Amino acid sequence: MSPQHSPFASTTSSNAERLLVIYTGGTIGMQQHAQGLAPSGDFASRMATAFSQLSLAQQRTLPPYDVLSYSTLIDSSAATPLIWQKLAQDINDQLSAYTGFVIIHGTDTLSWTASSLAYQLQGLDRPVVMTGAMQPLEANGSDGLENLYGALQFAANPSLQEVAIYFAGKLLRGARAIKQHSEAFDAFTSPSYPLIGERVGDDFVYYSSRSLGHHQRGAPRFELPDYRPVNQGEIIRIVLWPGITAWQLDAWLGDSRIKGALLQLWGAGNLPDDARLMEVLARASGEGKLLAAISQCPQGSVQLGAYAAGHGLSDAGVLSGDDMTPEAAFTKLIHLIAQPLPLEVQRQRFLTPLVGER
């Protein structure tokens, strides 16, 4: 499907000075149907109508943009690694035509998509800003218009050279963000890294000192592996609970289809003092499965072996996810396992900051 030009675009702008808005679906684009809210199309004209409600001064600051709407719109709860792969490929295909990108996405898995895109678009030299809304664009009091307006403003800033999320006046590193609230407009936070930008009055301030900087040096241009081999549940996420047993853990990790797992442990890296649990982990790791661990706590990092209850995890082959978010750790496992890399290279790269995610 070809991108549609916005009515706010300057007729003198070349494509190389334009932004591309990619509309995938989500609450922001939903409209009321007989069965309730559902993804709806015609987003380019609806976006233009919304922007016409801005003050004339704000309308004049809108950068020229085109809109690419996906033919099959999704609720973000239906997102898969193949959706992440398609988005990265579309950005790659359009890279020479646009100076920045805005991705409109449902909020439920927005931070998961942002983390995946960060790994696929390593070495990015322009903004990719994701946004959405907690209410449909046409709803009374919707947060959609402000989020769209701010995302376009940051996507027009050439100093921003990474995947970011703009939401409720805040610009967050994509690989550091989580959704923290199911209803509030201020739904996203970055628990282990400061904001990389924010709206201050009518200004959109980017904090360049918090940019990727040294993390990006020497990074490959893009990494666009085929995610089909990891799209059928081959990587799993296990959040520990009181009373978990070895047979339950083995029911997942012992399955021959499993290639990797993210474990969410208690506190700084605790799990029950049960040698049989460690045996299951060691056996899975010995079979070549990539295992990593983070904390269930939203802030702080795991320190494997700091407590006796977690002693032996490293010996069992479990990698520390440090202070990574579940989204960043899980999508990193997917990204690494999808590539034909030796296991030791996958392990080393998981422990290495690739896009400022740890």
Side-chain angles (χ1 to χ4, degrees):
M1 191 170 182
S2 299
Q4 295 175 271
H5 290 298
S6 85
F8 295 94
S10 167
T11 55
T12 60
S13 297
S14 69
N15 259 20
E17 297 170 331
R18 305 174 73 85
L19 307 179
L20 180 63
V21 176
I22 301 176
Y23 170 54
T24 69
T27 297
I28 190 172
M30 289 186 176
Q31 292 180 314
Q32 192 68 43
H33 296 268
Q35 289 77 33
L37 288 172
S40 297
D42 195 25
F43 198 74
S45 63
R46 293 166 59 199
M47 209 172 143
T49 298
F51 283 152
S52 69
Q53 300 168 26
L54 296 170
S55 69
L56 290 177
Q58 289 175 320
Q59 290 184 37
R60 283 194 288 269
T61 68
L62 283 170
Y65 66 88
D66 298 332
V67 178
L68 175 64
S69 292
Y70 280 179
S71 55
T72 300
L73 301 174
I74 64 164
D75 183 291
S76 73
S77 62
T80 67
L82 295 188
I83 296 292
W84 305 336
Q85 179 180 346
K86 175 175 171 52
L87 274 167
Q89 190 61 60
D90 286 345
I91 290 170
N92 180 68
D93 291 346
Q94 300 283 352
L95 200 68
S96 62
Y98 297 97
T99 56
F101 298 83
V102 171
I103 299 174
I104 300 169
H105 195 284
T107 61
D108 286 340
T109 61
L110 189 149
S111 53
W112 296 80
T113 300
S115 290
S116 176
L117 288 178
Y119 298 126
Q120 294 181 80
L121 304 179
Q122 290 177 59
L124 186 67
D125 64 354
R126 64 201 67 194
V128 172
V129 182
M130 299 194 63
T131 196
M134 301 302 287
Q135 292 188 2
L137 185 58
E138 289 87 359
N140 289 331
S142 171
D143 55 332
L145 175 57
E146 198 284 322
N147 286 346
L148 286 175
Y149 178 65
L152 282 168
Q153 296 297 324
F154 276 115
N157 185 339
S159 298
L160 176 62
Q161 298 183 356
E162 61 178 290
V163 179
I165 294 172
Y166 180 78
F167 216 90
K170 300 187 298 186
L171 188 72
L172 314 173
R173 171 160 297 156
R176 287 283 192 166
I178 63 171
K179 185 180 180 183
Q180 67 172 349
H181 205 293
S182 65
E183 297 174 339
F185 283 173
D186 189 11
F188 288 86
T189 189
S190 179
S192 298
Y193 199 78
L195 300 180
I196 60 173
E198 61 186 319
R199 181 173 185 168
V200 181
D202 290 332
D203 296 323
F204 293 85
V205 182
Y206 173 57
Y207 303 124
S208 57
S209 62
R210 300 171 186 172
S211 66
L212 275 179
H214 64 277
H215 292 294
Q216 289 280 62
R217 288 189 194 133
R221 179 57 185 166
F222 282 175
E223 291 180 358
L224 302 171
D226 184 357
Y227 278 2
R228 284 177 296 178
V230 290
N231 192 55
Q232 298 297 322
E234 290 84 357
I235 291 86
I236 58 175
R237 176 188 179 191
I238 304 174
V239 183
L240 267 62
W241 65 88
I244 187 172
T245 62
W247 74 262
Q248 291 171 317
L249 191 61
D250 190 50
W252 280 304
L253 294 180
D255 192 306
S256 62
R257 294 168 292 184
I258 298 303
K259 299 177 181 178
L262 175 65
L263 307 173
Q264 287 189 246
L265 310 177
W266 291 301
N270 294 330
L271 79 169
D273 186 13
D274 183 345
R276 292 169 297 180
L277 285 172
M278 210 66 75
E279 289 171 6
V280 172
L281 294 174
R283 183 166 59 249
S285 181
E287 292 170 351
K289 296 172 181 179
L290 195 62
L291 308 182
I294 59 172
S295 176
Q296 292 185 25
C297 301
Q299 289 186 279
S301 60
V302 292
Q303 301 171 41
L304 303 186
Y307 290 84
H311 184 73
L313 281 165
S314 294
D315 290 341
V318 179
L319 302 172
S320 171
D322 197 25
D323 61 350
M324 295 170 71
T325 65
E327 294 92 324
F330 188 82
T331 57
K332 191 172 188 178
L333 287 175
I334 284 181
H335 185 70
L336 295 175
I337 293 171
Q339 301 180 62
L341 301 170
L343 180 60
E344 280 310 306
V345 175
Q346 291 177 344
R347 291 172 60 85
Q348 184 272 329
R349 291 200 71 203
F350 185 87
L351 295 170
T352 302
L354 300 180
V355 290
E357 76 281 7
R358 59 181 297 160

